[in-house]
Amino acid sequence: MRFGLPRWSGTLAVKAAVFITVMCCALAALLGILVHVSVTNQTVGQARDRALSRLADATAAFEAGDPLMPGTRLDPPDLPPSLRDLALAGERGTMVADHRGRPMMWAAGPVDDERVLAVGIDYSQQSRTIEGLDRAILWSSVLAIGATVLVGVFAVTRVTRRLHATARVARRISGGDLDARVDDPRTQDPSRPQDEVAAVAAALDTMASSLQGKLLAEQRFTADVAHELRTPLTGLHAAAELLPPGRPTELVRDRVAALRTLTEDLLEISRLDTGRERLELDSEPLAALAERVVRGSSGGVTEVVVVRDLVVETDRRRLERVLGNLVANAHKHGRGPVTLTVDGAVVTVRDHGDGYPGYLLAHGPQRFRTEGGAKGHGLGLTIALGQAEVLGARLTFSNAVEGGAVARLTLG
């Protein structure tokens, strides 16, 4: 079984803190070991030289027949066995060992084939000095690591705050707020040093400005084309009404009507794109409004199911437009039976066709795009989604498990 790490462990601040802590610990351990080894070698070396010097004096005195010096003994029983063996082998040596609960520096050498002369020097002071040094190294390392981690986390947090601000602006832009900008102070003042975060912020602001300019130009073009088409289409419609009855006339009138519908849809989309639509609120029973939408629909038979009626304060015209487009899309691109269900503030339109295409479920409706050989311009659902946003409602699209497309409108 694989255990995952918590989400907060993947943040840049946590990673930086862990990295700084590990590096500080490694550096402190290395320096501490070097200082400990250096001081210990120096202290032990001084004690060893002192013990060997006293051993040399004691050996000379013993060989001259003089009395043994204080601290010098012949074949002491508490001499470390390994040092005794070394001395019996004819070598002089030293060793630190505990003697009656206290550290002792021993120096021993041979006086004949069977006896050993040994000198013992109290090593307590040197041992306490090394222990104190180790404690000082440990506490100073802890303080240094703590201070370094705090300073490092503070510095990294300043960077991550700027990165989070840039990410928030990017999400706002992807959500449709093209006026959002990072406006990093470092990008406004050329005299200040520019770091990588400032470069990313500047690039994002430039991209947003360019994207906004292109979208505004596209919106203006769409609106201008739609406005320019209205006049000739009005003339075409009037001329088509004057044609004699017959199949050719019906075809002309049908195409003119389709062009007029397309033009009105383009105008509505251009108004929605401007974001300046205003609501005309009124209290409306949802069940009655749904019945009215179904009666006005010419696509086919739609069953209205009222689970729980609710009176909502909304813009009646816009809500009728949303529901009408959903019902029309269900009849045009799906298969019957088509059901419109009212359950409180949730209105669901369901058909039993092949369901919505994958791109629509992943990215939402896209104008002038249809798949699977369906006829249409993709504007109906786009307008429904835009009007739902103006109403402050949430419109979602999904496919039923047993088949069919499901559009769910949740009123705020």
Side-chain angles (χ1 to χ4, degrees):
M1 182 177 180
R2 184 177 180 180
F3 296 94
L5 295 174
R7 295 187 63 182
W8 56 263
S9 64
T11 61
L12 181 60
V14 172
K15 292 180 179 178
V18 171
F19 175 77
I20 293 172
T21 302
V22 172
M23 294 303 297
C24 287
C25 290
L27 182 60
L30 177 62
L31 293 177
I33 291 173
L34 292 176
V35 172
H36 172 82
V37 171
S38 176
V39 173
T40 300
N41 289 339
Q42 183 179 2
T43 303
V44 172
Q46 291 175 351
R48 179 183 294 113
D49 292 341
R50 182 183 171 193
L52 289 174
S53 177
R54 291 187 61 180
L55 177 62
D57 294 340
T59 301
F62 178 79
E63 291 174 349
D66 296 334
L68 292 177
M69 300 173 58
T72 304
R73 289 183 289 173
L74 191 64
D75 286 330
D78 47 0
L79 183 67
S82 58
L83 185 58
R84 183 186 301 273
D85 295 339
L86 180 65
L88 290 175
E91 300 289 340
R92 289 184 178 184
T94 59
M95 178 179 290
V96 177
D98 287 338
H99 177 63
R100 297 176 183 176
R102 301 176 65 183
M104 182 76 72
M105 172 63 77
W106 290 97
V111 292
D112 53 36
D113 293 339
E114 297 180 356
R115 291 185 298 174
V116 172
L117 187 64
V119 174
I121 298 178
D122 186 11
Y123 194 71
S124 301
Q125 180 63 38
Q126 291 87 338
S127 179
R128 286 193 295 268
T129 300
I130 294 175
E131 291 176 356
L133 175 65
D134 290 342
R135 286 193 297 270
I137 291 174
L138 177 62
W139 286 109
S140 61
S141 298
V142 170
L143 292 176
I145 291 172
T148 304
V149 170
L150 289 177
V151 173
V153 170
F154 173 74
V156 172
T157 303
R158 293 188 62 187
V159 175
T160 56
R161 280 201 300 265
R162 295 168 59 199
L163 289 174
H164 284 306
T166 303
R168 285 194 297 271
V169 171
R171 285 191 291 269
R172 288 173 57 190
I173 293 173
S174 65
D177 184 6
L178 298 181
D179 293 324
R181 298 291 186 275
V182 180
D183 290 331
D184 193 306
R186 289 168 179 77
T187 63
Q188 310 298 323
D189 187 1
S191 63
R192 299 183 65 178
Q194 305 292 308
D195 58 8
E196 289 78 1
V197 180
V200 172
L204 181 62
D205 288 347
T206 302
M207 180 198 71
S209 298
S210 176
L211 180 63
Q212 185 179 36
K214 292 179 179 179
L215 288 178
L216 289 177
E218 179 185 340
Q219 292 170 7
R220 286 193 298 269
F221 175 77
T222 302
D224 291 344
V225 168
H227 278 291
E228 292 296 327
L229 286 175
R230 294 185 77 180
T231 300
L233 282 176
T234 301
L236 280 175
H237 179 72
E241 292 298 325
L242 299 176
L243 293 175
R247 180 59 181 168
T249 300
E250 292 179 1
L251 292 175
V252 171
R253 291 176 179 175
D254 178 69
R255 294 300 87 196
V256 171
L259 281 174
R260 292 189 66 183
T261 300
L262 176 59
T263 302
E264 295 299 326
D265 287 346
L266 289 174
L267 284 172
E268 187 166 358
I269 287 179
S270 65
R271 288 193 298 267
L272 291 172
D273 286 340
T274 62
R276 299 175 182 175
E277 294 287 85
R278 295 293 179 266
L279 295 176
E280 297 179 4
L281 298 179
D282 196 4
S283 296
E284 290 287 337
L286 274 181
L289 188 145
E291 293 281 0
R292 191 163 56 247
V293 169
V294 169
R295 286 195 302 269
S297 175
S298 59
V301 178
T302 304
E303 179 185 4
V304 178
V305 178
V306 180
V307 178
R308 180 169 58 93
D309 195 8
L310 182 69
V311 177
V312 295
E313 187 175 6
T314 185
D315 188 319
R316 178 182 59 81
R317 181 187 67 82
R318 297 184 189 279
L319 183 55
E320 288 180 349
R321 176 68 160 159
V322 173
L323 296 181
N325 281 14
L326 295 178
V327 171
N329 184 82
H331 284 290
K332 186 174 183 179
H333 300 289
R335 289 191 299 270
V338 176
T339 305
L340 189 153
T341 303
V342 177
D343 187 0
V346 180
V347 182
T348 304
V349 178
R350 160 85 188 277
D351 65 53
H352 291 75
D354 297 329
Y356 292 117
Y359 80 89
L360 191 146
L361 297 177
H363 307 290
Q366 298 180 23
R367 60 191 71 175
F368 298 107
R369 178 174 179 179
T370 57
E371 288 187 0
K375 296 181 179 179
H377 306 286
L379 300 181
L381 293 183
T382 303
I383 292 174
L385 185 61
Q387 293 289 12
E389 292 177 354
V390 175
L391 291 172
R394 182 167 178 263
L395 179 59
T396 59
F397 304 94
S398 62
N399 290 330
V401 176
E402 59 273 19
V406 180
R408 180 172 288 103
L409 178 69
T410 304
L411 301 172

